[in-house]
Amino acid sequence: MAEQSPSQTVGPFFEYGPIYGGEDILVNEQTSGERIRITGRVIDGEGAPVVDALIEIWQADANGIYNHPADPGFANVDAHFRGFGRSETVNDGMFFFKTIKPGAVAFDDSTLQAPHINVHVFARGMLIHAHTRLYFSDEAANDHDPVLYSIEGGRRKTLIAQRENGPDLSTYRLDIVLQGDNETVFFNP
Amino acid sequence: MTLVKKLSSLNWDIHPPYIYPPYKSTVRRGPQKPLIPLPYTLSELTGPVYGDDDIGPLDNDLTRNAVKNGEPIGERIIVTGRVLDDNNRPVPNALVEVWQANACGRYIHKGDQHDAPLDPNFRGSGRVLTDKNGEYRFTTIKPGAYPWGNHHNAWRPAHIHFSIFGTNFISRLVTQMYFPGDPLLALDPIYNSIPDEAGRNRLISIYDHDITEPVWALGYRFDIVLCGSHMTPFETREA
């Protein structure tokens, strides 16, 4: 085994590095699926907005297929959807994505997971990123999701984005709380 | 088909903790509750895939990719190395993104208030894909050290930020590359947040005279090891 390279903070000045622009919009006109907006605020342990965080998301297409060769459905993936997005937070700590609602993904050979988006949080003051998930408030499958079920009941809500119907497209809102009583559930991958 | 759900996970003996008080802003930003174990599903076994179409012809040359009216100022260097997984296998087609201060220690970012000159011909960012052997290579200017507000008279050692996408979402890594012999390393809380001395040493690039180009640029080697290595479903099928 080779030893892993240690993580270091993304720092405050990533805007001209991994931010190339346009990565907060994951869809084009040909992408299949229900257009949605994902938004939320990153909040620190004192309740203050984190204005220099970088949020990365990774999700399946509308049929629950990841655009990656390890997905058994890869041959049928939506070619107009890579499934990766990136948004920096700004002055109010808000991030923003325009994407599609993903389909359900297999948990194992016989069980499905509720539709979800995988999330990494980077920021100045975070020496290593945090890994979380975003689920959707209007999915009955949340009640049977094996990952949500593994979390203590009171904390599951920190992963469930609330749907707000809009005139053009619906918005799902989920704040990411880095610390404190309402700390978001973070995973040990 | 049975997916192999065993991946090497983050080794917390090697990575810095979320909260490291000498780096002050970790105190209010680091998660404090226990992390929840995550089973490996397709969500973790997959990740964004990049190809040559994602890379522009000058993206790997920071001395040329933002030129306006001349060459950037500073010591030209070549940085090269391999991206490996922790089974010691090369990671091909890994997207490596880099960003850094200029030779004077100033970022082009609007939030950088350090009283040092911007270089009109240097943006300080680039990206490159690893080849089939996991190798990447880019040309840049050696960055300068710069002061920051963490504590009285705090200076960051010269560094280049690295962002690497491996073969899946678990293997994601953001880190920093340092330079050998930098006296500021011993004083830097970000560098010293890494608990293990061998781990700290792995973030220091190696000066390699074989990488230099005569009468043009000096050369540094920096290898990167990602977690999240696993057998792919294709390999289990063949086995």
Side-chain angles (χ1 to χ4, degrees):
Chain A
M1 292 283 282
E3 297 287 4
Q4 296 165 17
S5 299
S7 173
Q8 294 273 266
T9 181
V10 74
F13 299 139
F14 53 79
E15 186 175 336
Y16 291 86
I19 295 290
Y20 269 62
E23 284 187 303
D24 50 354
I25 298 174
L26 286 74
V27 293
N28 62 30
E29 288 177 1
Q30 281 96 45
T31 306
S32 302
E34 180 195 354
R35 267 64 177 163
I36 59 170
R37 191 180 281 125
I38 302 276
T39 187
R41 176 175 277 128
V42 184
I43 298 165
D44 74 10
E46 290 178 332
V50 175
V51 302
D52 45 15
L54 175 65
I55 307 297
E56 292 184 347
I57 62 171
W58 169 242
Q59 66 167 100
D61 70 9
N63 294 315
I65 303 171
Y66 284 103
N67 197 338
H68 185 282
D71 192 308
F74 181 55
N76 298 315
V77 73
D78 182 350
H80 298 285
F81 191 68
R82 172 177 273 162
F84 177 77
R86 191 140 64 170
S87 172
E88 56 186 326
T89 59
V90 285
N91 291 336
D92 50 4
M94 298 291 289
F95 59 88
F96 164 94
F97 295 99
K98 185 179 176 186
T99 183
I100 51 105
K101 199 168 178 190
V105 171
F107 178 70
D108 55 27
D109 289 344
S110 59
T111 320
L112 287 176
Q113 306 184 65
H116 64 275
I117 291 178
N118 309 288
V119 181
H120 279 160
V121 183
F122 303 83
R124 176 180 67 83
M126 295 184 77
L127 286 158
I128 183 165
H129 56 275
H131 183 138
T132 186
R133 284 183 171 196
L134 179 152
Y135 289 83
F136 300 91
S137 60
D138 52 349
E139 289 289 339
N142 290 343
D143 295 341
H144 312 289
D145 181 79
V147 172
L148 277 178
Y149 197 78
S150 72
I151 299 164
E152 176 218 325
R155 298 192 67 203
R156 285 178 206 159
K157 64 177 185 296
T158 68
L159 302 186
I160 298 175
Q162 297 300 313
R163 183 175 183 121
E164 300 165 3
N165 292 321
D168 50 349
L169 70 175
S170 294
T171 295
Y172 289 88
R173 160 108 190 207
L174 182 68
D175 290 346
I176 296 173
V177 182
L178 296 178
Q179 226 183 51
D181 291 343
N182 299 317
E183 183 177 309
T184 295
V185 166
F186 296 112
F187 295 105
N188 190 14
Chain B
M1 182 184 61
T2 302
L3 292 171
V4 173
K5 297 196 176 77
K6 187 71 185 162
L7 276 74
S8 63
S9 42
L10 286 173
N11 180 349
W12 289 99
D13 295 332
I14 284 174
H15 293 284
Y18 280 120
I19 296 181
Y20 182 73
Y23 176 20
K24 280 185 185 160
S25 49
T26 65
V27 174
R28 288 286 170 258
R29 290 186 167 190
Q32 289 173 311
K33 294 191 190 294
L35 301 179
I36 306 292
L38 188 62
Y40 294 134
T41 72
L42 279 175
S43 299
E44 291 72 39
L45 289 159
T46 58
V49 175
Y50 293 94
D52 292 335
D53 292 349
D54 296 306
I55 304 290
L58 289 180
D59 282 357
N60 68 346
D61 190 344
L62 285 67
T63 68
R64 293 167 68 208
N65 69 8
V67 162
K68 290 201 177 68
N69 57 9
E71 295 216 40
I73 301 293
E75 182 184 327
R76 204 181 287 121
I77 60 172
I78 294 159
V79 178
T80 185
R82 288 209 297 165
V83 177
L84 304 165
D85 68 21
D86 50 4
N87 283 326
N88 238 335
R89 290 190 291 206
V91 182
N93 291 317
L95 178 67
V96 177
E97 299 167 304
V98 294
W99 69 103
Q100 61 167 91
N102 68 22
C104 302
R106 177 81 187 266
Y107 287 87
I108 196 168
H109 192 283
K110 60 187 180 301
D112 186 356
Q113 299 299 310
H114 177 32
D115 183 16
L118 284 169
D119 184 334
N121 295 304
F122 190 73
R123 186 183 68 223
S125 63
R127 42 169 55 189
V128 60
L129 275 186
T130 58
D131 67 14
K132 64 181 191 310
N133 300 314
E135 290 181 9
Y136 71 89
R137 176 189 173 96
F138 62 93
T139 305
T140 187
I141 297 292
K142 192 173 182 184
Y146 59 84
W148 62 309
N150 189 68
H151 56 275
H152 174 65
N153 202 17
W155 291 77
R156 290 300 325 281
H159 61 276
I160 299 177
H161 293 269
F162 272 71
S163 151
I164 306 104
F165 291 86
T167 49
N168 53 53
F169 200 60
I170 297 298
S171 59
R172 186 83 177 92
L173 177 71
V174 169
T175 189
Q176 301 181 23
M177 181 199 104
Y178 300 97
F179 291 88
D182 191 330
L184 294 171
L185 285 169
L187 306 173
D188 180 44
I190 293 179
Y191 175 71
N192 288 293
S193 69
I194 300 164
D196 152 63
E197 184 180 5
R200 292 194 293 276
N201 286 335
R202 282 199 294 284
L203 295 190
I204 302 177
S205 57
I206 296 166
Y207 175 73
D208 186 341
H209 207 63
D210 290 338
I211 297 169
T212 64
E213 290 196 8
V215 207
W216 177 249
L218 295 177
Y220 291 86
R221 177 168 298 283
F222 183 57
D223 292 337
I224 298 155
V225 179
L226 306 178
C227 75
S229 59
H230 65 102
M231 299 281 286
T232 69
F234 304 103
E235 285 171 320
T236 56
R237 249 191 237 154
E238 289 159 9

